[in-house]
């Protein structure tokens, strides 16, 4: 994906407020051998771009003053209740340096799996994205995960999926090296308890008047 940004000369709270009032979002680009660069982006274009998954997980082409460079979205600050982006951060991409990114997982085939279709189990994703490392040229927009073979009593682990070429999972220290990605939950069986008939009132029932 590509987007256009503009150089920003002024900084500070007042300058940022004026930018937002004019329909712009202040931002910064950092990383690499160059100094951090202050930028501004059209807010409406940015707002729509942020709704696209690829904008969060892909290497982006940023054009500033006629020059295009590759960057990653690293942080977005939203207004607590308005539909307003307050600030945005990008990191420059070095094509010769590995990236550490969160890549979305796209699940498919759950409804056709024996677990769901035959045994009426619930197929529940445990995680929706995966921490990975890879070269910028190998960064996938998403990782496709097929769930059509899941069966009752099973679960899908990290080592059960095939990662794209050049992509390696990034696990934190002490974390399980084969975490569960999708769990299969059996259907809830409701056992109805028979309701006992109310005991007959012994007083006065079945007795004639004296």
């Amino acid at each position: 994906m590509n987007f256009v940004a503009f150089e920003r000369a002024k900084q500070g709270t007042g300058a940022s407020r004026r930018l937002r009032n004019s329909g712009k979002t202040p931002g910064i680009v950092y990383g690499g051998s160059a100094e951090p660069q202050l930028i501004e982006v059209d807010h409406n274009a940015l707002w729509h771009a942020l709704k696209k998954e690829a904008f969060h997980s892909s290497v982006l082409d940023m054009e500033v003053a006629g020059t295009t460079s590759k960057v990653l979205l690293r942080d977005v600050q939203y207004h607590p209740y308005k539909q307003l982006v307050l600030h945005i951060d990008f990191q420059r991409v070095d094509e010769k340096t590995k990236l550490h990114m969160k890549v979305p997982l796209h699940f498919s085939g759950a409804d056709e799996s024996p677990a769901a279709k035959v045994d009426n189990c619930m197929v529940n994703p445990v995680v929706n994205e995966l921490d990975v490392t890879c070269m910028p040229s190998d960064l996938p927009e998403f990782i496709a995960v097929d769930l059509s073979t899941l069966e009752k009593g099973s679960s899908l682990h990290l080592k059960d999926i095939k990662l794209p070429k050049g992509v390696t999972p990034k696990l934190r220290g002490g974390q399980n090296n084969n975490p569960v990605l999708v769990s299969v939950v059996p259907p809830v069986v409701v056992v109805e308890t028979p309701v006992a008939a109310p005991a007959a009132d012994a007083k006065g029932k079945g007795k004639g008047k004296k």
Side-chain angles (χ1 to χ4, degrees), residues 160-176:
D160 296 326
I161 68 172
K162 184 178 180 180
L163 297 176
K165 181 182 177 181
V167 176
T168 304
K170 178 73 173 179
L171 300 174
R172 298 177 182 177
Q175 186 177 357
N176 180 5

Side-chain angles (χ1 to χ4, degrees), residues 3 15 21 23 46 54 68-69 73 79 87 90 93 99 143 145 154 160 164-165 176 184 188 190 192 197:
F3 69 100
N21 289 339
L46 177 62
T68 300
S69 56
L73 174 63
H79 192 279
H87 196 274
F90 295 97
V93 171
L99 304 172
I143 296 172
V145 181
S154 67
D160 296 326
K165 181 182 177 181
N176 180 5
V184 176
V188 177
V190 179
E192 295 186 0

Side-chain angles (χ1 to χ4, degrees), residues 26-98:
I28 189 171
V29 184
Y30 60 84
S33 57
E35 292 293 320
Q37 180 182 20
L38 299 177
I39 61 169
E40 59 186 68
V41 185
D42 179 79
H43 182 273
N44 286 341
L46 177 62
W47 183 264
H48 290 293
L50 287 168
K51 293 181 179 179
K52 299 177 181 178
E53 186 180 69
F55 197 75
H56 296 259
S57 58
S58 303
V59 176
L60 308 171
D61 292 317
M62 180 186 71
E63 181 183 338
V64 180
T67 302
T68 300
S69 56
K70 294 190 179 297
V71 298
L72 290 171
L73 174 63
R74 282 306 192 190
D75 187 54
V76 185
Q77 298 176 26
Y78 293 95
H79 192 279
Y81 56 88
K82 295 181 181 179
Q83 291 189 344
L84 181 66
V85 181
L86 300 177
H87 196 274
I88 193 160
D89 294 4
F90 295 97
Q91 180 184 352
R92 297 185 184 93
V93 171
D94 180 354
E95 294 184 357
K96 297 181 180 180
T97 303
K98 281 190 173 184

